[in-house]
Structure formats: structure tokens, C-alpha cells
Amino acid sequence: MALPLLPGNSFNRNVGKEKFHKSQHWGFCNNVMMLVSDEKPGIGGEPLLGQKIKPKCSIYPKGDGSDVPSWVAFDKQVLSFDAYLEEEVPDKSQTNYRIRYYKIYFYPEDDTIQVNEPEVKNSGLLQGTSIRRHRITLPPPDEDQFYTVYHFNVGTEVVFYGRTFKIYDCDAFTRNFLRKIGVKVNPPVPCPEDPYMKIRREVLEHVEPLRPYESLDTLKQFLQYHGKILCFFCLWDDSVSMFGDRRELILHYFLCDDTIEIKELLPHNSGRDAIKMFLRRSKLPKNCPPRVYQPGQITDRAVLNLYGDFIKNQADGFLMDRYKLGEVDQEFYKDSDLSLGVTINVWGRKVLLYDCDEFTKSYYKSKYGIENFTSVSCKPPSPPPKIERKFPPYNGFGSEEDSLRTCIGLKPTPHRRNFKKFMEKDSYGFKSNILRFFAKLVTDKCVDLDRMFVISYYLSDDTISVFEPIERNSGITGGMFLKRSRVKKPGQEVFKSELSEYIKAEDLYIGVTVNVNGYLFRLLNADEYTLNYMEQNTDKYPFSNLKLALQKLKQEEAKSRELKQIFRAADRKHTKKVDYNTFRDILMSFTVGNLSEQEFVTIVRHYRAPEDTCSDVDFLIALAHEKFKKNMFENFDSFIYSCVYEDREKKNVLPTKDIKRLCKSSRLPLSDDLLESLLSRFEDSEKQIDYKSFFSALNWRKNPVPELQPASYLKERCEDIWLGMPSPIPAKYIDYLTLLKDVFGLEEE
């Protein structure tokens, strides 16, 4: 029993209360003061006695938990109910009513409702969203309230704007949600079938359509396999036919539409047109027809006639062939028909599939379970043995090459020279590409023992010329001994089918005896260019390889101490070098003939001691004086004055490049080669020149030198004369101590 509301009998409700404000019920709407809401709480945010406030959202499920807003607790949670609606049909010729199916979505976060009608094919109704999402009021007389979660259950009816929806089922999430908030969910209720759709289905089952359209839905296959292509490597062996050969092909199978294209792999210089497409992309029939079908002969549908208003050039309809008379039955290749080792028919051509790529292997492994992808061997058959072609022997007329060319073809063609070798080895600049050797005759005749010859070997065309220098009062005319021509090696048959072998550049080196058309020549020496060429090409001239020559000396390492004592005894002045003849006698006796002449010359050239260049300088100065005298050039003091002006530090030396520039600018009457040689003789280690001594030496008035002796007159000269006979020895003195150190590791004691 409640206490009467009398002073002293009621509790003080304001104890601990801090908020005593009144709710704002009035406001402005379009600048007009009006009652905005009368549902706000009373004083301090608490409702007055007897005041009831409508809830804004569903009631939370009772239980322990955090007090969070509804829009957080029920975020992304939707209750789904299946319902139907009986709708009266105005035209009652077929049925009196229609059954329409709906989906009712209830959002617990704000008690909003959305009603959607799923699409039913050929229903004849506008379907989709029936009621957009918002809060829906209850039907009268409770129109001041809104639907909450407790108004929905299976087997109940809800009224939305005068339309009654009967709920017959819900999903599993909705059942669990309702059970958690204490609602007993009813079992599903059977849903009635739409009578119109039932009648339509029965009619379609018993009536055959007049237009048997076939649904060819290839969109799924296209979307699933777009961009996925099977690749097979193929071979078409057409070598049986005339002028046929083996053709390498690549087959591409497009999974999106079951089409095939074939490309051809054309090797370089195959002689075929550069058209790589062997078969353009299309479906490939298994059994190719005897002829190509005409356009329009093979179609998916055949139109028999058109009907309608033809006056306006328009047709309202068309009549199709329902029985497909004259249809051509074709069977095309599928992916299941392709595998390694299978031969397919490509419009009459037998194409063998012998290999495939990795994607194709993985596709067949995943779809068909194939594990074996061993490639098929398709090696070409071994060619038949070639018939050896025999040529008649040489008959002695013309050269051997010309006679051979007459036997190769009906129309004789000239022998093709090695033009590339000729252009590379022809003389140009300072490179003569001519190997010159100093030789003597090997004969028993006393008259010919002292005859000396110059043998020239031309690298451009492998020809040889022999020239004998002219000596006065020798009793021998001299001059050209053998004109430039190729020389055959001795001991060959003259009249034979094969070409003869000729003397090569590798056959000529110092110390060898060469047979030139029956004359034996022993090569004694070679010029500087020849020796340098042989040392640069040690693969062709192994006797010019310094390492191999020193290796032969190293084999006698047990006698190294004895060899050192012999060299010391020969070097009485302790200059650490010996003359050429002494060095030759010692080294040849030490190796007991194991060292060839070419190898000995290679060792001497490497370990030769530097010679005195005074005579060389005198010769160059005499040559320069002769040039100055011819041109009456005497202005050497101006050169010295210019150098003194340039020498700001007073060192009496200037860089070589400055002296050369000064000589060029003053038009000194000397050739470039002669000027370079003179500058190199006066140059010190720092590439500087004492300009006073240099120009004083060139002053032919103040410092004259003996004139050059004129060269002896030769009765006969030719282009391959060796101008300036080589020295009989490659070096005057040899540094034997460096040789012993490099070969045996002996140091100076």
C-alpha cells in the first residue's frame, strides 16, 4: 500500500539530483514559433508522473553486457522473413487472385523495415523493391506506434499500409536472434503456389512452341576461360610429297570458344613467305568436308519467310525452320581430343602433337587427371648417304682451280678468290703484310754457295717471290729469281683430281729449308716486321713463343751453375752482357741442338742489351742538315728566342709537345717522321727537351756534320727489293744475367 502524498510521508526525490532544467518543447519552423514536440521528458531529463515516452528502437535482449547504443549493438544485423501476399486480379478470366512472394528485412539498429519482391521469370509483374527502408507505423488504432522486433514471428501477419503480408518462414540467423530475446519462434508454414504460374507451367509443358528457339549460352564459358589458351608444339611431315619438307607448327586452343589457330615457325633463310599464320582462328572439324562450304550454307537458324508490312520496308515477324532441314552435322575438335602423340586432321594435313607448355600440362592434370606428359620424339630420318662426286684428274691446261671449275657446272665460272682475306692482309699504311726472309742456296756447286736471296711471302694471296740482290763483279746477273706466284709443296703428284697443296706462311721461319720449285733455300734471317708478326701470332708460329723456348732451357736446370760460370768466364769486363756470337756458341752447345734457330732468335730479341744510339742521331742530324741546305733554312736563332720566352721558369727545357708545335708553326722543312725521330732522340725521361742543344745541333751553319754517302747504283730494281739488307745478327750484345734470373732464378753474387 502506497503512503499518502502528505508532508513527511514522501521521499525527497531531489536528493543527489543535479539537473533541474526543463525540456524545450517550443521552437521555430520557417521563422514561426510553434510546438515542436510534446514527447520530451520533463524536468531534468526525467519523465513526469504518468508520462509515457515511445521507445526509438527495439528493446535489448535482457542479460549481462555493456550498455551500448542500438546502432552499435545491432550494426550490420538484419532479420529476414519470407512472406507472401494474396492480391486480387481485376481481370478474372484465368484466376481470381495472384500469390506474390516477398522478403521482409527488419533492421534492429533503428527498427526500419524494407520489403523486396524477388524476380520471378515471365510473371508479368513489376518486381523489385516494394517498400523502401523506413519505420512503419502500426495499423489503426495504434498508428502512433511503430513496428518493433516483437511484432514479427513465423505464422503471423503484418499490415503495411493496408497490405497484409503473411510470414511463412525466416532464416537461421533470425530464428537465433528471436530466441535470444525470448520470443518463441513458430515452425514454418506451407506457402501456397501462385495459380497463374501453375497454369502457365502446365501450358508450356503440354504445348510445343511454334518457334523452337535454342538457347546458346556461351557467356559462362567465355567468362570462365577468357585469356586461357592451350599451347601444343606440332609437326607436319610433308617430306613425302615433291619439294615437301618438315614444317614446325604451334597450335593454340582457345578454351573460351573452342577455336583453334595454328602458326608456323619459319627458320631463317627458309625461302618461304613471311606469313606465320598457318590456320586462322576457327573451329576445326574432325572430318574435313570434300569442299569448302559456301557462305550461308552452315547457319545456326534457317529463316523460311518474313511477314508484315512490306510497304514501309519493315517486317513484323519471321518464320523459321523448326525441323532444320538440310542441316550439316559437323563434329569439331575439343580439348579432350588433344593430347601428346595424337595426330589430328587439319583440313587434310596430318599434324602430330609432340609437346606442350606448362599451362597446358597443369590444365590436363587438374581436369582429366593426366600425369604422363612425355614429349614424343620427332627426329627427322637420317638422310640417305651422299654419293661421292669424283672429278677427273688435272690435264695440265691452265691452273688446277680453273680446270676444276669446268667440271663442276656446264657453264664454267672463274675461281673465287678469298676477297675478305685479300682486303684484310693487303698492304696499307705502315703495314706491308709481307714476310721477308734472308736466305741462301743449299747446293753442292761452289759457284752458288755464296749467293744470297730475299724471299718475300705475301699474306694477302699466299704468293712467293724470290729476288737476288745485285753484287758488282760477282759474275752473276742477279735481280728477279722467281716472279710472284704460288709455290707447290714438293713430292705431290702432278696429274690428280685433288687440288695441290701450296707453301703456307706457317712453313717459313728462320732455320728451315724450303724447296721452291726444286731449289733448296735455307732461311737465315728475317726483317723486323716479319719477326714482330711471328711473335704476335704464336699460335701459328710456335717457334716464336718465348715461353716455349725458355721451357726448353729450363729442362737443363741441373747445368744452370755450370752455365753461369761459362758466361762469367766469357764476360771478362763484368759488363753483365756478352756478344752475339759468344752467346750463340754457349747456348747452342748447352742445349745440344734442342733449340731451333727461330727460338734462339726469339730469345736474343727479348734479352738484347740496348745499343748506343749516337750513330743513329748523327745520321738523323745529317739527313736534317741536307733538308735545310736544299731549302736554305737558317733561322734557328728565332727558335731559341721563342723557347726562351716560353721558358718562364728558366729551366732551359720545354715539353716535347711545345717544341713540336713551335716547329710546325714555323714551317720547319722536315717531314713528320723525321721530326718525330729527332725529338725522340733528344727527349729525356720526363718528356722534355733541352731546346738550346736541340736547335744548336740542327744549325747546319754553326755545327756542320759529314755529308751522307750516296747509295750505290743498282742495275735492276723491283718492287720487292729488300731496301737495306738486314744485319746478319739480330743484336750485338745480350743480357745473359737477366736470362739466367728468369729461367733458373739465379741472382747476382
Side-chain angles (χ1 to χ4, degrees):
M1 181 177 180
L3 296 176
L5 188 58
L6 296 175
N9 293 333
S10 62
F11 297 100
N12 188 3
R13 298 180 181 274
N14 296 328
V15 175
K17 188 174 182 180
E18 298 179 355
K19 297 181 180 180
F20 297 95
H21 66 276
K22 293 182 179 181
S23 300
Q24 180 69 27
H25 297 278
W26 294 88
F28 289 90
C29 183
N30 296 329
N31 296 327
V32 178
M33 186 175 183
M34 59 184 301
L35 182 65
V36 179
S37 176
D38 57 350
E39 297 181 356
K40 293 186 178 180
I43 300 173
E46 295 181 358
L48 300 176
L49 293 176
Q51 185 181 9
K52 294 182 179 180
I53 302 176
K54 297 179 182 179
K56 292 184 178 181
C57 58
S58 299
I59 303 174
Y60 284 93
K62 295 181 180 180
D64 298 334
S66 60
D67 188 10
V68 296
S70 62
W71 54 271
V72 176
F74 300 120
D75 184 28
K76 298 182 181 180
Q77 295 185 9
V78 185
L79 305 183
S80 177
F81 297 93
D82 298 328
Y84 66 92
L85 174 66
E86 293 184 3
E87 186 179 33
E88 186 179 358
V89 179
D91 185 10
K92 299 182 180 180
S93 61
Q94 295 180 349
T95 58
N96 296 329
Y97 64 94
R98 294 285 302 271
I99 300 296
R100 303 181 67 172
Y101 305 98
Y102 292 90
K103 282 281 188 180
I104 300 177
Y105 298 106
F106 183 85
Y107 297 87
E109 57 179 328
D110 54 0
D111 288 353
T112 54
I113 299 172
Q114 182 176 346
V115 180
N116 291 347
E117 183 178 6
E119 182 180 357
V120 179
K121 190 175 182 180
N122 297 326
S123 64
L125 301 173
L126 295 177
Q127 298 167 341
T129 303
S130 179
I131 301 176
R132 293 183 179 180
R133 178 179 173 181
H134 67 285
R135 295 181 70 190
I136 303 176
T137 59
L138 295 174
D142 299 325
E143 63 271 7
D144 57 338
Q145 299 180 15
F146 297 93
Y147 276 98
T148 63
V149 69
Y150 293 105
H151 293 95
F152 295 90
N153 200 343
V154 179
T156 61
E157 297 179 357
V158 291
V159 180
F160 298 153
Y161 302 110
R163 305 175 69 186
T164 303
F165 296 87
K166 298 179 181 180
I167 302 175
Y168 64 89
D169 200 0
C170 64
D171 59 357
F173 173 77
T174 305
R175 289 180 180 276
N176 296 334
F177 187 88
L178 294 176
R179 288 172 184 172
K180 289 181 181 179
I181 64 176
V183 177
K184 184 179 179 181
V185 183
N186 300 326
V189 178
C191 177
E193 186 178 2
D194 186 11
Y196 173 76
M197 297 301 297
K198 181 179 180 181
I199 295 173
R200 183 176 177 83
R201 185 174 64 254
E202 291 176 355
V203 171
L204 292 177
E205 289 177 357
H206 293 87
V207 177
E208 185 177 357
L210 297 178
R211 300 177 185 177
Y213 296 125
E214 296 180 359
S215 60
L216 302 175
D217 186 12
T218 58
L219 181 60
K220 180 181 178 181
Q221 181 182 1
F222 176 79
L223 296 177
Q224 183 178 1
Y225 295 109
H226 178 60
K228 297 182 179 180
I229 304 172
L230 305 181
C231 180
F232 290 91
F233 301 97
C234 319
L235 175 68
W236 174 37
D237 191 357
D238 191 33
S239 57
V240 182
S241 61
M242 183 180 296
F243 307 112
D245 55 357
R246 297 164 62 87
R247 312 278 285 274
E248 296 287 340
L249 308 173
I250 295 181
L251 184 144
H252 291 158
Y253 184 89
F254 296 86
L255 295 173
C256 60
D257 55 358
D258 299 327
T259 55
I260 293 176
E261 76 173 9
I262 301 178
K263 295 183 178 181
E264 184 176 3
L265 296 177
L266 293 176
H268 293 290
N269 301 326
S270 62
R272 299 186 179 275
D273 295 334
I275 301 176
K276 296 185 179 180
M277 192 62 66
F278 186 79
L279 176 68
R280 66 179 181 178
R281 182 175 175 179
S282 61
K283 287 190 175 182
L284 182 63
K286 289 185 178 180
N287 301 318
C288 61
R291 57 184 177 83
V292 180
Y293 292 108
Q294 298 298 324
Q297 189 173 356
I298 298 179
T299 57
D300 296 335
R301 300 168 184 174
V303 180
L304 298 180
N305 198 357
L306 302 175
Y307 56 88
D309 189 2
F310 292 95
I311 299 176
K312 299 180 180 179
N313 298 326
Q314 294 180 357
D316 296 336
F318 52 88
L319 181 63
M320 302 186 64
D321 182 11
R322 59 180 297 186
Y323 297 105
K324 298 182 179 180
L325 300 177
E327 181 184 6
V328 179
D329 186 16
Q330 282 188 315
E331 187 179 1
F332 299 97
Y333 278 103
K334 301 290 184 181
D335 56 349
S336 57
D337 302 325
L338 305 179
S339 61
L340 299 184
V342 173
T343 301
I344 63 175
N345 183 7
V346 182
W347 296 97
R349 298 170 178 84
K350 304 299 181 181
V351 177
L352 172 65
L353 310 182
Y354 65 88
D355 201 359
C356 60
D357 61 353
E358 294 298 330
F359 172 76
T360 307
K361 294 179 182 178
S362 61
Y363 174 80
Y364 279 95
K365 184 177 181 181
S366 60
K367 185 174 182 179
Y368 299 103
I370 300 176
E371 298 291 341
N372 186 14
F373 295 98
T374 305
S375 59
V376 180
S377 177
C378 54
K379 294 182 178 180
S382 58
K386 293 183 178 180
I387 301 176
E388 185 180 358
R389 190 174 184 180
K390 297 183 179 180
F391 298 100
Y394 175 58
N395 54 11
F397 293 96
S399 63
E400 296 182 359
E401 290 80 5
D402 292 339
S403 298
L404 181 62
R405 298 301 297 180
T406 59
C407 301
I408 293 178
L410 295 177
K411 184 178 180 180
T413 56
H415 174 66
R416 295 184 61 182
R417 299 172 56 188
N418 193 345
F419 186 74
K420 181 179 179 181
K421 180 180 179 181
F422 176 79
M423 294 301 297
E424 290 179 352
K425 297 298 183 180
D426 193 19
S427 59
Y428 62 93
F430 295 103
K431 293 186 178 180
S432 62
N433 286 321
I434 302 175
L435 307 183
R436 290 188 174 92
F437 296 91
F438 196 50
K440 65 181 294 186
L441 273 175
V442 180
T443 179
D444 297 334
K445 297 181 180 180
C446 298
V447 180
D448 298 333
L449 287 177
D450 297 333
R451 296 178 65 181
M452 307 302 292
F453 297 87
V454 176
I455 299 178
S456 301
Y457 187 91
Y458 297 84
L459 297 174
S460 60
D461 55 358
D462 300 328
T463 55
I464 295 177
S465 67
V466 181
F467 180 81
E468 184 179 6
I470 300 174
E471 294 186 10
R472 293 179 179 273
N473 301 325
S474 63
I476 299 174
T477 306
M480 185 62 68
F481 186 82
L482 175 66
K483 290 185 178 181
R484 180 176 175 179
S485 60
R486 290 192 299 170
V487 178
K488 296 182 180 180
K489 291 184 178 180
Q492 300 185 70
E493 185 181 354
V494 178
F495 303 104
K496 61 182 184 300
S497 301
E498 297 80 12
L499 296 177
S500 301
E501 295 184 5
Y502 296 89
I503 296 178
K504 300 180 181 179
E506 294 82 0
D507 301 331
L508 303 179
Y509 54 89
I510 298 176
V512 71
T513 301
V514 184
N515 189 333
V516 180
N517 297 336
Y519 292 91
L520 298 179
F521 293 92
R522 181 174 178 81
L523 305 185
L524 304 178
N525 202 352
D527 63 350
E528 187 69 19
Y529 174 81
T530 304
L531 295 175
N532 290 332
Y533 179 84
M534 298 169 72
E535 291 173 358
Q536 293 172 3
N537 299 274
T538 55
D539 54 338
K540 298 181 180 179
Y541 302 94
F543 293 124
S544 295
N545 194 339
L546 181 64
K547 294 182 180 180
L548 298 179
L550 296 180
Q551 192 68 27
K552 291 184 179 181
L553 293 179
K554 202 169 184 179
Q555 295 176 359
E556 307 291 339
E557 191 172 2
K559 305 178 183 179
S560 59
R561 295 290 179 182
E562 180 182 354
L563 180 63
K564 184 177 181 180
Q565 293 177 2
I566 295 174
F567 275 120
R568 283 202 167 184
D571 184 17
R572 298 178 181 179
K573 298 182 179 180
H574 304 286
T575 58
K576 302 178 183 179
K577 56 185 179 181
V578 294
D579 60 285
Y580 173 81
N581 294 328
T582 305
F583 183 79
R584 174 183 174 80
D585 295 340
I586 296 174
L587 207 61
M588 286 300 184
S589 61
F590 177 74
T591 56
V592 195
N594 192 22
L595 203 65
S596 64
E597 291 288 341
Q598 183 70 41
E599 291 174 332
F600 175 76
V601 171
T602 303
I603 295 175
V604 169
R605 285 171 52 81
H606 185 75
Y607 292 99
R608 58 187 172 186
E611 300 179 4
D612 188 13
T613 59
C614 293
S615 58
D616 189 14
V617 173
D618 295 340
F619 175 77
L620 294 176
I621 292 175
L623 192 61
H625 284 188
E626 185 177 354
K627 295 285 185 180
F628 295 148
K629 290 178 182 179
K630 289 182 180 180
N631 292 275
M632 297 301 294
F633 188 85
E634 301 178 359
N635 193 11
F636 295 100
D637 295 336
S638 61
F639 284 97
I640 298 177
Y641 296 152
S642 299
C643 293
V644 171
Y645 177 77
E646 294 288 340
D647 186 14
R648 302 303 177 89
E649 298 181 0
K650 306 301 180 181
K651 293 183 177 180
N652 294 328
V653 291
L654 284 177
T656 306
K657 60 180 182 179
D658 294 344
I659 301 294
K660 182 179 179 181
R661 176 172 44 80
L662 180 61
C663 296
K664 284 289 189 180
S665 61
S666 300
R667 299 176 182 249
L668 194 68
L670 295 178
S671 61
D672 293 342
D673 296 338
L674 182 57
L675 181 60
E676 289 284 351
S677 302
L678 286 170
L679 292 175
S680 62
R681 298 304 187 276
F682 285 87
E683 188 179 40
D684 57 5
S685 59
E686 298 180 357
K687 294 187 177 181
Q688 293 183 345
I689 296 176
D690 186 353
Y691 52 85
K692 292 184 178 180
S693 61
F694 176 71
F695 288 109
S696 297
L698 296 182
N699 195 336
W700 57 278
R701 289 287 188 185
K702 296 181 179 180
N703 301 311
V705 295
E707 296 182 357
L708 295 175
Q709 296 295 329
S712 58
Y713 175 74
L714 299 179
K715 292 184 178 179
E716 183 180 354
R717 299 172 64 90
C718 67
E719 61 179 0
D720 56 356
I721 283 183
W722 194 343
L723 299 178
M725 285 295 179
S727 174
I729 56 177
K732 293 183 179 181
Y733 296 96
I734 295 89
D735 187 358
Y736 68 89
L737 191 61
T738 306
L739 173 64
L740 297 177
K741 181 179 179 181
D742 293 343
V743 178
F744 306 111
L746 299 178
E747 299 288 344
E748 183 181 3
E749 297 179 0

